[in-house]
Amino acid sequence: MVKSITGELLKDSWYRCYKKNINKRLNKFNKYVSQNELEKIKNDNNYLVKLFMKQIKLLTAKYVSDKSYLFLLTDSDGVLMAKHFCNYNEKESNFQLKEGAYFTEDSCGTNAISLAINTNNIVHLKGDEHYCDCFYDWESIATPIIVNKKVVAYLNMSIFDREIAEIDNMLFELLLSKLVAQMTKIIFFSGQEKIILNELTEEILKLSAIGHTITEISAILHISHSAVKYHRSKVCDFLEAKNLYHAITKAIKYRCLDLKKIE
C-alpha cells in the first residue's frame, strides 16, 4: 500500500519553496530543457518512452472506464518525457503540461515527483499538499523506476477531483511492475541498448542464425528437440518478435548476437 509523505518532509519541502520564492499561483513551470536537450533525453530513453505509452494504452483500455487519469514519465532528473491523459481534455485546463518541463521543487513547487526525487521512494500526495494552486485538483502517486539498483526514470499517476482508491493503486502498481520487468531486460550504457539473454538461449539463437535445424542444434548442445523449440519460442516472446527470423534480427539490433563471433 502506498503511504502518504510524512508531515515533516512535506513541511520541509514547503519551506524550501517559500525560501526560493516559488509562486503559489504558478501558471507555467520555471524550468525547461531546450528543444535539443529534450530530443537527446527522449532519444536516450526511447525504449522506455515507447514502453510507457504502449503499456498505458493497454492497461487503461482494460481497466479504465469513465475515471480521469493523468500519467507522467520523467527522466532521472525529473524532466517530463511523456504524458497521457485518460478521459480528460487537457485543453480545458488553465495549466498546460509541456514535455521538457522539470518537475523539481525549484521548477513547480512541492509535487509528488519532486518528493519522490528527494526521498528516492514512492510518494502519495493529496491535492492540497501540493505547494502550487495549479495542482490542487490532483491527487498523485509518484515513484522512482529502479532497474539494476539504478533510478532510470520517475513515474506519476494523478487523479482529478477525487481520492485515490484501491483500484487506482492496483493500476499504478501493475504499470510500474510491467515497466520494471521490461526494463530489467535492458542495460543502458553509452546511449546504447543491450538485451541480456541466458547462455543456453543465446547459444540456440546463434546456431539458428547460421542455419542449423532443430535436430542439429539438439545434437550439438546435447539437449532434447522440445528444449530447443521451447527456447526458440521463449526468445520470440522475450524480444516481442513475430517469428524466429524476426527474433534474430532484433537480437542483432540489441547486440545479443555478434555476427563476427558466429562461426
Side-chain angles (χ1 to χ4, degrees):
M1 179 66 67
V2 181
K3 295 182 179 179
S4 296
I5 197 77
T6 64
E8 287 303 313
L9 288 171
L10 191 58
K11 289 177 183 177
D12 288 345
S13 178
W14 288 345
Y15 182 69
R16 288 193 297 270
C17 292
Y18 170 76
K19 293 291 287 183
K20 293 174 183 176
N21 294 315
I22 303 296
N23 185 1
K24 284 185 67 66
R25 293 187 178 139
L26 193 75
N27 56 19
K28 67 176 183 178
F29 289 79
N30 291 322
K31 289 180 61 180
Y32 293 86
V33 296
S34 69
Q35 189 60 39
N36 286 341
E37 289 173 316
L38 177 60
E39 289 177 5
K40 183 179 186 306
I41 288 170
K42 293 181 71 172
N43 184 61
D44 289 345
N45 294 278
N46 182 54
Y47 185 90
L48 178 57
V49 171
K50 288 183 177 178
L51 181 62
F52 167 79
M53 296 303 297
K54 176 183 176 180
Q55 291 297 334
I56 284 292
K57 290 174 182 177
L58 289 173
L59 290 173
T60 53
K62 185 173 183 180
Y63 295 106
V64 175
S65 55
D66 58 345
K67 294 179 180 179
S68 297
Y69 292 90
L70 166 62
F71 294 92
L72 303 173
L73 181 71
T74 78
D75 74 349
S76 56
D77 293 321
V79 176
L80 183 61
M81 299 188 293
K83 60 181 180 177
H84 184 77
F85 287 90
C86 296
N87 300 318
Y88 182 84
N89 186 356
E90 185 185 6
K91 294 179 180 179
E92 295 177 359
S93 171
N94 293 324
F95 191 74
Q96 302 295 308
L97 292 174
K98 293 183 179 180
E99 293 179 358
Y102 276 94
F103 267 84
T104 50
E105 278 182 359
D106 55 348
S107 177
C108 56
T110 306
N111 64 84
I113 295 175
S114 72
L115 289 170
I117 292 172
N118 291 341
T119 63
N120 198 34
N121 210 334
I122 191 167
V123 169
H124 174 196
L125 203 64
K126 296 180 179 178
D128 59 3
E129 291 176 332
H130 292 86
Y131 186 78
C132 296
D133 298 349
C134 55
F135 298 128
Y136 271 24
D137 292 335
W138 298 19
E139 183 158 344
S140 305
I141 306 174
T143 185
I145 299 176
I146 300 174
V147 179
N148 294 336
K149 300 181 180 180
K150 179 183 177 182
V151 175
V152 298
Y154 290 90
L155 175 67
N156 174 279
M157 179 185 74
S158 293
I159 309 293
F160 300 102
D161 297 321
R162 66 180 179 85
E163 294 183 356
I164 290 175
E166 186 62 33
I167 186 69
D168 304 317
N169 279 321
M170 183 203 75
L171 177 62
F172 183 76
E173 290 170 6
L174 187 57
L175 173 60
L176 177 62
S177 67
K178 287 185 176 293
L179 293 179
V180 171
Q182 289 292 321
M183 290 304 296
T184 300
K185 300 175 184 177
I186 307 298
I187 294 179
F188 290 93
F189 60 97
S190 302
Q192 299 294 321
E193 299 175 353
K194 182 179 181 181
I195 293 222
I196 307 301
L197 300 176
N198 71 53
E199 188 174 340
L200 179 57
T201 303
E202 183 178 354
E203 193 61 31
I204 289 172
L205 201 59
K206 284 181 179 179
L207 292 171
S208 300
I210 57 177
H212 283 292
T213 65
I214 290 175
T215 300
E216 291 169 340
I217 295 172
S218 174
I220 293 169
L221 299 179
H222 306 290
I223 58 177
S224 67
H225 287 202
S226 60
V228 177
K229 292 178 182 178
Y230 171 79
H231 282 274
R232 281 184 165 189
S233 174
K234 292 301 289 183
V235 79
C236 287
D237 291 342
F238 187 88
L239 295 173
E240 299 180 353
K242 299 173 183 177
N243 51 49
L244 180 64
Y245 302 104
H246 188 206
I248 291 168
T249 301
K250 294 188 79 170
I252 293 170
K253 174 184 176 182
Y254 291 124
R255 298 189 299 130
C256 301
L257 297 179
D258 186 344
L259 291 177
K260 296 178 182 177
K261 294 181 179 179
I262 297 177
E263 300 178 354

